[in-house]
Amino acid sequence: MRRVLVTGATGTVGNHVVSQLHEEAVHVRAGVRDVSRARDRFEHDIECVHFDFYKPETWGRAFEDVDALFLVRPPSMSRVGRHLAPAIDAAARVGVAHVVYLSVLGAEKNPLLPHHRVEDHLRTADVAYTFLRASFFMQNLAGVHRADIVERDELFVPAGDGQTSFVDARDIAAVGVAALVESGHENRAYDVTGPEALSYHEVANIFSAALDRDIEYVRPGAIEFAIRMRRRVPMPLVVVMLGIYTTARLGLAKRVTTDAERVLGRPPRTMREFVEDNVDVFRRD
Ligand SMILES: NC(=O)c1ccc[n+]([C@@H]2O[C@H](COP(=O)([O-])OP(=O)(O)OC[C@H]3O[C@@H](n4cnc5c(N)ncnc54)[C@H](OP(=O)(O)O)[C@@H]3O)[C@@H](O)[C@H]2O)c1
């Protein structure tokens, strides 16, 4: 039976990769930092092993007898040459044949991004690769932005009138699972976006209709945004978020592709489907 190691298994995309792979004829191994917590979370036949990019002593056991790897760079990791690249080399050395890597839309054009460096490394490593260059996750709205929606009926994002080709993490996972279980996806890159580009005005309207209460798109300035987000996430992440929303404001995040539909044989989920599937997440208690 094919054996796949999923890194970032407790994360936004990885957790769907684990559950979707579990439905295939695949032995799923979740590489996690806290094994006992992961065992409580996953189905009993999902193997949970200790894996930490910062602890090379955990790599050998995690990579043992693995055919393919789903690779997620932890968002806080900037020095990929020091931690992620050696892990890729270690996996290749023990026979991991294929790495499906969660990258970001536009990574190939921006050498400053850590994803660019990971892609470069994978291209020269002794493995086949598949890059999932994902657009902005719809799930971000249920993460760091949820409190604004639930407590203030606000979408609090400094993206002006710019559009974004939001993608549902469940669909990114599905493209990743296809790449892991089917043949023909080796040494390819997919630009994984949702089916439409939306402004945050349009997103607010979708939320208002689905939640049956008015959600207003507030367009904070960068400083106002940074002050509020600083209470929720570390400053380096606030800076990253400002960069992402500036890109959207400038109209550089709106590219829609058909890659997900071509791989999945169905269109990716719309924002409306995402919000309707998650109404409880955004409901006021
Ligand atoms: N958010 C977006 O819109 C977006 C768009 C395109 C690309 N991306 C990229 O997607 C990646 C993040 O994916 P995600 O959002 O699915 O992840 P996530 O929800 O942020 O979760 C991070 C995962 O990394 C694991 N992790 C953290 N530190 C680790 C370490 N030292 N060793 C091993 N695992 C570690 C965490 O496990 P624990 O349970 O142990 O903490 C968790 O499973 C980033 O590279 C990001 O740049 C994001």
Side-chain angles (χ1 to χ4, degrees):
M1 190 187 245
R2 196 169 164 73
R3 198 179 289 264
V4 176
L5 174 71
V6 181
T7 66
T10 57
T12 310
V13 176
N15 90 89
H16 292 293
V17 173
V18 169
S19 59
Q20 293 177 29
L21 272 179
H22 185 243
E23 290 163 18
E24 305 285 337
V26 167
H27 179 93
V28 188
R29 182 180 289 171
V32 295
R33 289 188 297 174
D34 185 336
V35 171
S36 57
R37 212 166 43 145
R39 283 210 182 103
D40 289 342
R41 170 182 184 145
F42 294 129
E43 300 280 343
H44 71 279
D45 50 345
I46 287 168
E47 184 191 0
C48 297
V49 298
H50 187 200
F51 179 81
D52 190 327
F53 285 109
Y54 298 112
K55 295 184 180 161
E57 65 274 20
T58 64
W59 301 351
R61 166 72 188 91
F63 294 145
E64 198 179 309
D65 298 327
V66 162
D67 301 295
L69 170 64
F70 187 78
L71 180 66
V72 176
R73 177 195 67 97
S76 58
M77 182 192 284
S78 52
R79 301 170 79 178
V80 293
R82 186 151 175 186
H83 304 291
L84 216 110
I88 292 168
D89 294 342
R93 269 198 305 277
V94 297
V96 175
H98 186 189
V99 175
V100 175
Y101 170 55
L102 175 57
S103 187
V104 68
L105 201 63
E108 73 282 15
K109 288 179 264 172
N110 187 347
L112 297 177
L113 290 174
H115 311 79
H116 183 96
R117 297 195 291 278
V118 178
E119 289 192 6
D120 273 355
H121 191 80
L122 276 167
R123 259 193 228 96
T124 55
D126 193 16
V127 286
Y129 62 82
T130 309
F131 301 148
L132 311 179
R133 292 185 183 137
S135 182
F136 188 87
F137 305 170
M138 293 176 187
Q139 277 75 4
N140 295 334
L141 301 172
V144 70
H145 300 298
R146 177 178 171 271
D148 305 311
I149 298 167
V150 171
E151 293 162 19
R152 300 173 186 241
D153 291 338
E154 283 179 4
L155 258 185
F156 190 81
V157 176
D161 300 326
Q163 294 180 315
T164 298
S165 56
F166 297 91
V167 63
D168 192 312
R170 294 172 292 181
D171 292 323
I172 305 168
V175 175
V177 167
L180 287 163
V181 302
E182 301 170 0
S183 58
H185 299 285
E186 292 82 2
N187 303 332
R188 290 188 176 208
Y190 296 119
D191 290 343
V192 187
T193 76
E196 59 195 341
L198 298 169
S199 71
Y200 283 87
H201 300 285
E202 292 169 308
V203 175
N205 290 340
I206 291 169
F207 269 83
S208 301
L211 303 181
D212 203 19
R213 62 180 209 268
D214 276 347
I215 305 296
E216 187 192 354
Y217 173 36
V218 182
R219 299 166 38 160
I223 292 173
E224 198 188 344
F225 178 77
I227 290 169
R228 193 185 289 183
M229 290 304 134
R230 180 65 194 92
R231 294 188 215 117
R232 294 182 197 161
V233 296
M235 199 55 199
L237 196 50
V238 175
V239 173
V240 170
M241 289 165 76
L242 277 172
I244 289 169
Y245 293 123
T246 302
T247 305
R249 186 164 51 77
L250 296 174
L252 301 173
K254 64 181 179 192
R255 192 160 66 91
V256 173
T257 74
T258 55
D259 287 12
E261 178 158 7
R262 276 192 295 116
V263 173
L264 300 178
R266 60 160 175 85
R269 292 170 176 85
T270 61
M271 179 64 81
R272 182 173 302 281
E273 287 173 274
F274 165 75
V275 182
E276 287 175 355
D277 288 349
N278 290 284
V279 162
D280 288 346
V281 172
F282 298 108
R283 215 188 284 286
R284 288 191 160 177
D285 293 331

